[in-house]
Amino acid sequence: GQQVMQIPQYQHVQEGEDFTTYCNSSTTLSNIQWYKQRPGGHPVFLIQLVKSGEVKKQKRLTFQFGEAKKNSSLHITATQTTDVGTYFCAGPEDDSNYQLIWGAGTKLIIKP
Amino acid sequence: DVKVTQSSRYLVKRTGEKVFLECVQDMDHENMFWYRQDPGLGLRLIYFSYDVKMKEKGDIPEGYSVSREKKERFSLILESASTNQTSMYLCASGYRLTSYGYTFGSGTRLTVV
């Protein structure tokens, strides 16, 4: 069945270093969404990408959607302690369009 | 500020009890969802609803049922709670079923003993 693979599962960085998480779908996605879940919190919607090759920025966060609309990335420049959490990607299930298929998430950990 | 409100943050129930988890949204969304989140298993869809009184099974509906009598309220029911239903339950609502993002509630951490 359709899968959305997200890597890495964890990433440890020093504060001030950059962070990137990648999502790869087995099928073409009509959109891809990104969410952030702080420790002990709930997922919060960050952004949706729709167009092939689309790039969007939110301050230090840069989101990209691949040309084939099968992969996406989230890059954070100069991480801060407020960036700690798990980042999820999600895209529509292709044969029903009723459900989102979720990546497993990438947990960003800031080294002390 | 738009909100999805879940009635309880923490619940402890006994095996075999009937459990009701309530969710209310104030965004006039037609679509509402119940997920469970477990370490290592990510977010798994239990049921969703795209209109009042309409419901569809997600990936893991066994042992659960839902009710949507009013647009703003979506309830998850555990007919006979079991220990393997110990989990974090997240309610969400959305303008569209698979686009424009979801707004999640704060979650209910249910422990079945």
Short mmCIF file of all heavy atoms in Angstrom, two decimals, chain A residues 9 30-31 33 35 37 40-45 48 88 91-93 97-104, chain B residues 9 33 35 37 40 42-43 45 48 57-59 88 90 97-107:
data_model
loop_
_atom_site.label_atom_id
_atom_site.label_comp_id
_atom_site.label_asym_id
_atom_site.label_seq_id
_atom_site.Cartn_x
_atom_site.Cartn_y
_atom_site.Cartn_z
N GLN A 9 14.78 9.24 11.91
CA GLN A 9 13.83 9.08 13.00
C GLN A 9 14.15 10.08 14.12
O GLN A 9 13.24 10.64 14.74
CB GLN A 9 13.89 7.66 13.53
CG GLN A 9 12.79 7.33 14.54
CD GLN A 9 12.84 5.87 14.96
OE1 GLN A 9 13.70 5.11 14.53
NE2 GLN A 9 11.92 5.48 15.82
N SER A 30 -0.95 14.92 -4.08
CA SER A 30 -1.60 16.16 -4.52
C SER A 30 -1.19 17.33 -3.63
O SER A 30 -1.22 18.48 -4.06
CB SER A 30 -3.11 16.01 -4.53
OG SER A 30 -3.57 15.66 -3.24
N ASN A 31 -0.84 17.05 -2.40
CA ASN A 31 -0.28 18.07 -1.52
C ASN A 31 0.54 17.36 -0.45
O ASN A 31 0.41 16.14 -0.27
CB ASN A 31 -1.37 18.94 -0.88
CG ASN A 31 -2.20 18.23 0.16
OD1 ASN A 31 -1.75 17.97 1.28
ND2 ASN A 31 -3.44 17.89 -0.19
N GLN A 33 1.66 18.11 3.72
CA GLN A 33 1.48 18.98 4.88
C GLN A 33 2.55 18.66 5.91
O GLN A 33 3.00 17.52 6.02
CB GLN A 33 0.09 18.73 5.48
CG GLN A 33 -1.03 19.00 4.50
CD GLN A 33 -2.37 18.49 4.98
OE1 GLN A 33 -2.70 18.56 6.16
NE2 GLN A 33 -3.18 17.99 4.05
N TYR A 35 3.62 19.22 10.07
CA TYR A 35 3.13 19.50 11.42
C TYR A 35 4.29 19.43 12.39
O TYR A 35 5.26 18.69 12.18
CB TYR A 35 2.08 18.44 11.84
CG TYR A 35 0.81 18.46 11.05
CD1 TYR A 35 0.75 17.92 9.77
CD2 TYR A 35 -0.36 19.00 11.58
CE1 TYR A 35 -0.43 17.93 9.03
CE2 TYR A 35 -1.54 19.01 10.85
CZ TYR A 35 -1.56 18.47 9.58
OH TYR A 35 -2.74 18.48 8.86
N GLN A 37 5.02 18.78 16.60
CA GLN A 37 4.47 18.36 17.88
C GLN A 37 5.54 18.57 18.95
O GLN A 37 6.56 17.90 18.96
CB GLN A 37 4.03 16.90 17.86
CG GLN A 37 3.34 16.44 19.13
CD GLN A 37 2.76 15.02 18.99
OE1 GLN A 37 3.17 14.25 18.13
NE2 GLN A 37 1.79 14.68 19.83
N GLY A 40 5.03 16.46 24.82
CA GLY A 40 3.83 16.55 25.65
C GLY A 40 2.68 17.29 25.00
O GLY A 40 1.63 17.47 25.62
N GLY A 41 2.86 17.71 23.76
CA GLY A 41 1.81 18.49 23.09
C GLY A 41 1.12 17.72 21.99
O GLY A 41 1.23 16.50 21.90
N HIS A 42 0.41 18.45 21.17
CA HIS A 42 -0.32 17.86 20.08
C HIS A 42 0.22 18.40 18.75
O HIS A 42 0.86 19.45 18.73
CB HIS A 42 -1.82 18.17 20.21
CG HIS A 42 -2.11 19.64 20.30
ND1 HIS A 42 -2.04 20.35 21.48
CD2 HIS A 42 -2.47 20.54 19.34
CE1 HIS A 42 -2.35 21.60 21.25
NE2 HIS A 42 -2.62 21.74 19.97
N PRO A 43 -0.03 17.69 17.65
CA PRO A 43 0.47 18.19 16.36
C PRO A 43 -0.17 19.54 16.01
O PRO A 43 -1.38 19.73 16.20
CB PRO A 43 0.04 17.11 15.37
CG PRO A 43 -0.13 15.88 16.19
CD PRO A 43 -0.64 16.37 17.52
N VAL A 44 0.67 20.43 15.49
CA VAL A 44 0.21 21.74 15.06
C VAL A 44 0.57 21.89 13.58
O VAL A 44 1.73 21.69 13.19
CB VAL A 44 0.87 22.86 15.88
CG1 VAL A 44 0.50 24.23 15.32
CG2 VAL A 44 0.44 22.76 17.35
N PHE A 45 -0.40 22.23 12.79
CA PHE A 45 -0.21 22.40 11.35
C PHE A 45 0.73 23.57 11.08
O PHE A 45 0.55 24.67 11.61
CB PHE A 45 -1.57 22.63 10.69
CG PHE A 45 -1.51 22.96 9.23
CD1 PHE A 45 -1.10 22.01 8.32
CD2 PHE A 45 -1.89 24.21 8.78
CE1 PHE A 45 -1.07 22.31 6.95
CE2 PHE A 45 -1.86 24.52 7.43
CZ PHE A 45 -1.45 23.57 6.52
N GLN A 48 1.18 23.81 4.08
CA GLN A 48 0.82 22.87 3.02
C GLN A 48 1.52 23.31 1.73
O GLN A 48 1.53 24.49 1.40
CB GLN A 48 -0.69 22.85 2.80
CG GLN A 48 -1.12 22.00 1.62
CD GLN A 48 -2.63 21.93 1.47
OE1 GLN A 48 -3.29 21.17 2.17
NE2 GLN A 48 -3.18 22.72 0.56
N PHE A 88 6.27 16.07 11.61
CA PHE A 88 5.57 15.07 10.79
C PHE A 88 5.23 15.65 9.43
O PHE A 88 4.85 16.81 9.31
CB PHE A 88 4.25 14.66 11.44
CG PHE A 88 4.37 13.92 12.73
CD1 PHE A 88 4.29 14.60 13.94
CD2 PHE A 88 4.55 12.54 12.75
CE1 PHE A 88 4.38 13.92 15.15
CE2 PHE A 88 4.64 11.86 13.94
CZ PHE A 88 4.56 12.55 15.14
N GLY A 91 0.44 13.27 3.64
CA GLY A 91 -0.11 13.52 2.32
C GLY A 91 -1.34 12.68 2.09
O GLY A 91 -1.55 11.67 2.78
N PRO A 92 -2.19 13.07 1.13
CA PRO A 92 -3.44 12.35 0.90
C PRO A 92 -3.21 10.94 0.39
O PRO A 92 -2.34 10.71 -0.45
CB PRO A 92 -4.16 13.19 -0.15
CG PRO A 92 -3.50 14.51 -0.12
CD PRO A 92 -2.09 14.26 0.28
N GLU A 93 -4.01 10.02 0.84
CA GLU A 93 -4.04 8.67 0.31
C GLU A 93 -4.52 8.74 -1.14
O GLU A 93 -5.53 9.39 -1.42
CB GLU A 93 -5.00 7.82 1.14
CG GLU A 93 -5.01 6.34 0.80
CD GLU A 93 -5.99 5.59 1.68
OE1 GLU A 93 -7.16 5.98 1.73
OE2 GLU A 93 -5.58 4.60 2.32
N ASN A 97 -8.53 9.50 -1.39
CA ASN A 97 -8.50 10.92 -1.06
C ASN A 97 -9.33 11.25 0.18
O ASN A 97 -9.77 12.37 0.34
CB ASN A 97 -8.97 11.77 -2.24
CG ASN A 97 -8.03 12.92 -2.50
OD1 ASN A 97 -6.85 12.84 -2.20
ND2 ASN A 97 -8.56 13.98 -3.03
N TYR A 98 -9.56 10.23 1.01
CA TYR A 98 -10.31 10.48 2.22
C TYR A 98 -9.42 10.57 3.45
O TYR A 98 -9.86 11.02 4.49
CB TYR A 98 -11.33 9.36 2.46
CG TYR A 98 -12.43 9.28 1.45
CD1 TYR A 98 -13.12 8.10 1.25
CD2 TYR A 98 -12.78 10.38 0.67
CE1 TYR A 98 -14.14 8.01 0.33
CE2 TYR A 98 -13.80 10.30 -0.26
CZ TYR A 98 -14.47 9.11 -0.42
OH TYR A 98 -15.48 9.03 -1.34
N GLN A 99 -8.19 10.07 3.31
CA GLN A 99 -7.33 9.99 4.48
C GLN A 99 -5.98 10.59 4.17
O GLN A 99 -5.51 10.60 3.03
CB GLN A 99 -7.09 8.53 4.86
CG GLN A 99 -8.28 7.78 5.37
CD GLN A 99 -7.86 6.47 5.99
OE1 GLN A 99 -6.85 6.40 6.69
NE2 GLN A 99 -8.61 5.42 5.73
N LEU A 100 -5.35 11.08 5.23
CA LEU A 100 -3.95 11.45 5.15
C LEU A 100 -3.10 10.24 5.52
O LEU A 100 -3.45 9.49 6.43
CB LEU A 100 -3.64 12.60 6.11
CG LEU A 100 -4.13 14.00 5.75
CD1 LEU A 100 -3.71 14.99 6.83
CD2 LEU A 100 -3.63 14.43 4.38
N ILE A 101 -2.00 10.08 4.82
CA ILE A 101 -0.99 9.10 5.19
C ILE A 101 0.12 9.87 5.88
O ILE A 101 0.65 10.83 5.31
CB ILE A 101 -0.44 8.37 3.96
CG1 ILE A 101 -1.58 7.76 3.14
CG2 ILE A 101 0.55 7.30 4.39
CD1 ILE A 101 -2.38 6.71 3.85
N TRP A 102 0.46 9.44 7.07
CA TRP A 102 1.42 10.19 7.89
C TRP A 102 2.80 9.55 7.88
O TRP A 102 2.93 8.32 7.92
CB TRP A 102 0.93 10.23 9.34
CG TRP A 102 -0.30 11.05 9.52
CD1 TRP A 102 -1.58 10.66 9.26
CD2 TRP A 102 -0.38 12.38 9.99
NE1 TRP A 102 -2.44 11.68 9.54
CE2 TRP A 102 -1.74 12.75 9.99
CE3 TRP A 102 0.57 13.33 10.41
CZ2 TRP A 102 -2.17 14.03 10.39
CZ3 TRP A 102 0.15 14.57 10.82
CH2 TRP A 102 -1.21 14.91 10.80
N GLY A 103 3.82 10.38 7.82
CA GLY A 103 5.16 9.90 8.10
C GLY A 103 5.28 9.60 9.59
O GLY A 103 4.46 10.05 10.40
N ALA A 104 6.33 8.87 9.94
CA ALA A 104 6.53 8.46 11.34
C ALA A 104 7.09 9.58 12.20
O ALA A 104 7.11 9.47 13.43
CB ALA A 104 7.43 7.24 11.40
N ARG B 9 -8.03 15.50 29.80
CA ARG B 9 -6.62 15.41 29.46
C ARG B 9 -6.06 14.03 29.84
O ARG B 9 -5.25 13.46 29.13
CB ARG B 9 -5.85 16.50 30.20
CG ARG B 9 -4.40 16.61 29.77
CD ARG B 9 -4.27 17.30 28.44
NE ARG B 9 -2.87 17.50 28.07
CZ ARG B 9 -2.19 16.73 27.24
NH1 ARG B 9 -2.78 15.68 26.69
NH2 ARG B 9 -0.94 16.98 26.94
N PHE B 33 -11.97 14.01 13.02
CA PHE B 33 -11.16 12.79 12.99
C PHE B 33 -10.80 12.37 14.41
O PHE B 33 -10.61 13.21 15.28
CB PHE B 33 -9.85 13.05 12.23
CG PHE B 33 -10.03 13.72 10.89
CD1 PHE B 33 -10.12 15.10 10.81
CD2 PHE B 33 -10.11 12.98 9.74
CE1 PHE B 33 -10.29 15.73 9.59
CE2 PHE B 33 -10.28 13.59 8.51
CZ PHE B 33 -10.37 14.98 8.43
N TYR B 35 -7.75 10.04 16.09
CA TYR B 35 -6.50 9.32 15.94
C TYR B 35 -6.06 8.77 17.29
O TYR B 35 -6.39 9.34 18.33
CB TYR B 35 -5.37 10.24 15.45
CG TYR B 35 -5.43 10.63 14.01
CD1 TYR B 35 -6.14 11.76 13.59
CD2 TYR B 35 -4.74 9.91 13.05
CE1 TYR B 35 -6.17 12.12 12.25
CE2 TYR B 35 -4.74 10.28 11.71
CZ TYR B 35 -5.46 11.39 11.32
OH TYR B 35 -5.47 11.74 10.00
N GLN B 37 -2.24 7.80 19.09
CA GLN B 37 -0.81 7.97 18.88
C GLN B 37 -0.07 7.13 19.90
O GLN B 37 -0.26 7.31 21.11
CB GLN B 37 -0.41 9.44 19.01
CG GLN B 37 1.04 9.70 18.68
CD GLN B 37 1.38 11.18 18.67
OE1 GLN B 37 0.81 11.97 19.40
NE2 GLN B 37 2.33 11.56 17.80
N GLY B 40 6.42 4.89 18.46
CA GLY B 40 6.89 3.98 17.42
C GLY B 40 5.87 3.62 16.36
O GLY B 40 6.22 3.04 15.34
N GLY B 42 3.34 6.04 15.42
CA GLY B 42 2.88 7.27 14.79
C GLY B 42 1.40 7.52 15.02
O GLY B 42 0.80 7.05 15.99
N LEU B 43 0.81 8.24 14.09
CA LEU B 43 -0.61 8.60 14.16
C LEU B 43 -1.41 7.60 13.33
O LEU B 43 -1.15 7.42 12.14
CB LEU B 43 -0.82 10.01 13.60
CG LEU B 43 -0.38 11.15 14.50
CD1 LEU B 43 -0.04 12.38 13.69
CD2 LEU B 43 -1.47 11.46 15.50
N LEU B 45 -5.36 6.49 12.20
CA LEU B 45 -6.74 6.98 12.12
C LEU B 45 -7.71 5.89 12.56
O LEU B 45 -7.69 4.77 12.04
CB LEU B 45 -7.04 7.41 10.68
CG LEU B 45 -8.41 7.99 10.41
CD1 LEU B 45 -8.62 9.29 11.17
CD2 LEU B 45 -8.60 8.21 8.91
N PHE B 48 -13.35 8.73 11.01
CA PHE B 48 -13.55 10.13 10.68
C PHE B 48 -15.00 10.36 10.27
O PHE B 48 -15.75 9.41 10.00
CB PHE B 48 -12.56 10.60 9.60
CG PHE B 48 -12.74 9.97 8.24
CD1 PHE B 48 -13.45 10.62 7.25
CD2 PHE B 48 -12.16 8.74 7.95
CE1 PHE B 48 -13.59 10.06 5.99
CE2 PHE B 48 -12.30 8.17 6.69
CZ PHE B 48 -13.01 8.83 5.71
N LYS B 57 -14.85 4.35 8.67
CA LYS B 57 -13.77 3.68 9.38
C LYS B 57 -12.42 4.14 8.85
O LYS B 57 -12.25 4.36 7.65
CB LYS B 57 -13.89 2.17 9.21
CG LYS B 57 -15.12 1.58 9.88
CD LYS B 57 -15.20 0.09 9.65
CE LYS B 57 -16.45 -0.49 10.31
NZ LYS B 57 -16.57 -1.95 10.07
N GLY B 58 -11.49 4.25 9.78
CA GLY B 58 -10.12 4.50 9.40
C GLY B 58 -9.34 3.20 9.34
O GLY B 58 -9.88 2.16 8.97
N ASP B 59 -8.11 3.26 9.78
CA ASP B 59 -7.25 2.08 9.69
C ASP B 59 -7.42 1.10 10.84
O ASP B 59 -7.16 -0.08 10.69
CB ASP B 59 -5.78 2.53 9.63
CG ASP B 59 -5.49 3.35 8.40
OD1 ASP B 59 -6.02 3.01 7.33
OD2 ASP B 59 -4.76 4.35 8.52
N MET B 88 -2.63 7.60 23.69
CA MET B 88 -3.01 9.00 23.56
C MET B 88 -4.01 9.09 22.42
O MET B 88 -3.74 8.63 21.30
CB MET B 88 -1.78 9.85 23.24
CG MET B 88 -2.11 11.30 22.88
SD MET B 88 -2.87 12.22 24.22
CE MET B 88 -1.39 12.72 25.11
N LEU B 90 -6.18 11.57 20.00
CA LEU B 90 -6.19 12.92 19.47
C LEU B 90 -7.38 13.12 18.55
O LEU B 90 -7.61 12.34 17.64
CB LEU B 90 -4.90 13.18 18.68
CG LEU B 90 -3.61 13.27 19.50
CD1 LEU B 90 -2.40 13.08 18.61
CD2 LEU B 90 -3.53 14.60 20.22
N LEU B 97 -11.05 17.18 3.84
CA LEU B 97 -10.64 15.87 4.34
C LEU B 97 -9.13 15.68 4.29
O LEU B 97 -8.54 15.10 5.19
CB LEU B 97 -11.33 14.76 3.54
CG LEU B 97 -12.74 14.40 3.97
CD1 LEU B 97 -13.35 13.40 2.99
CD2 LEU B 97 -12.77 13.83 5.38
N THR B 98 -8.50 16.13 3.21
CA THR B 98 -7.06 15.83 3.06
C THR B 98 -6.25 17.05 2.63
O THR B 98 -5.15 16.91 2.12
CB THR B 98 -6.85 14.71 2.04
OG1 THR B 98 -7.42 15.09 0.79
CG2 THR B 98 -7.44 13.40 2.51
N SER B 99 -6.76 18.24 2.85
CA SER B 99 -5.96 19.42 2.51
C SER B 99 -6.29 20.56 3.46
O SER B 99 -7.24 20.46 4.24
CB SER B 99 -6.18 19.84 1.06
OG SER B 99 -7.54 20.13 0.81
N TYR B 100 -5.45 21.58 3.43
CA TYR B 100 -5.61 22.78 4.25
C TYR B 100 -5.31 22.55 5.72
O TYR B 100 -5.50 23.44 6.54
CB TYR B 100 -7.00 23.40 4.09
CG TYR B 100 -7.25 23.96 2.72
CD1 TYR B 100 -7.98 23.22 1.79
CD2 TYR B 100 -6.73 25.18 2.33
CE1 TYR B 100 -8.19 23.70 0.51
CE2 TYR B 100 -6.94 25.67 1.06
CZ TYR B 100 -7.67 24.93 0.15
OH TYR B 100 -7.87 25.41 -1.11
N GLY B 101 -4.84 21.36 6.07
CA GLY B 101 -4.39 21.11 7.43
C GLY B 101 -5.50 20.79 8.41
O GLY B 101 -6.67 21.09 8.18
N TYR B 102 -5.09 20.15 9.47
CA TYR B 102 -6.01 19.83 10.56
C TYR B 102 -5.65 20.66 11.78
O TYR B 102 -4.47 20.97 12.01
CB TYR B 102 -5.90 18.36 10.97
CG TYR B 102 -6.28 17.34 9.93
CD1 TYR B 102 -5.93 16.01 10.11
CD2 TYR B 102 -6.99 17.66 8.78
CE1 TYR B 102 -6.26 15.03 9.20
CE2 TYR B 102 -7.32 16.70 7.84
CZ TYR B 102 -6.96 15.38 8.07
OH TYR B 102 -7.29 14.41 7.16
N THR B 103 -6.67 20.94 12.61
CA THR B 103 -6.45 21.49 13.94
C THR B 103 -6.71 20.37 14.94
O THR B 103 -7.79 19.76 14.92
CB THR B 103 -7.38 22.67 14.21
OG1 THR B 103 -7.14 23.69 13.24
CG2 THR B 103 -7.13 23.25 15.60
N PHE B 104 -5.72 20.11 15.76
CA PHE B 104 -5.82 19.03 16.74
C PHE B 104 -6.21 19.56 18.11
O PHE B 104 -5.85 20.70 18.47
CB PHE B 104 -4.48 18.30 16.87
CG PHE B 104 -4.19 17.33 15.77
CD1 PHE B 104 -3.62 17.76 14.58
CD2 PHE B 104 -4.50 15.98 15.91
CE1 PHE B 104 -3.36 16.88 13.55
CE2 PHE B 104 -4.23 15.09 14.89
CZ PHE B 104 -3.67 15.53 13.70
N GLY B 105 -6.91 18.72 18.88
CA GLY B 105 -7.10 18.97 20.29
C GLY B 105 -5.86 18.61 21.07
O GLY B 105 -4.89 18.07 20.52
N SER B 106 -5.90 18.90 22.36
CA SER B 106 -4.72 18.68 23.22
C SER B 106 -4.49 17.21 23.56
O SER B 106 -3.45 16.87 24.11
CB SER B 106 -4.87 19.46 24.52
OG SER B 106 -4.94 20.84 24.24
N GLY B 107 -5.48 16.37 23.24
CA GLY B 107 -5.30 14.94 23.45
C GLY B 107 -5.85 14.46 24.78
O GLY B 107 -5.94 15.22 25.75
#
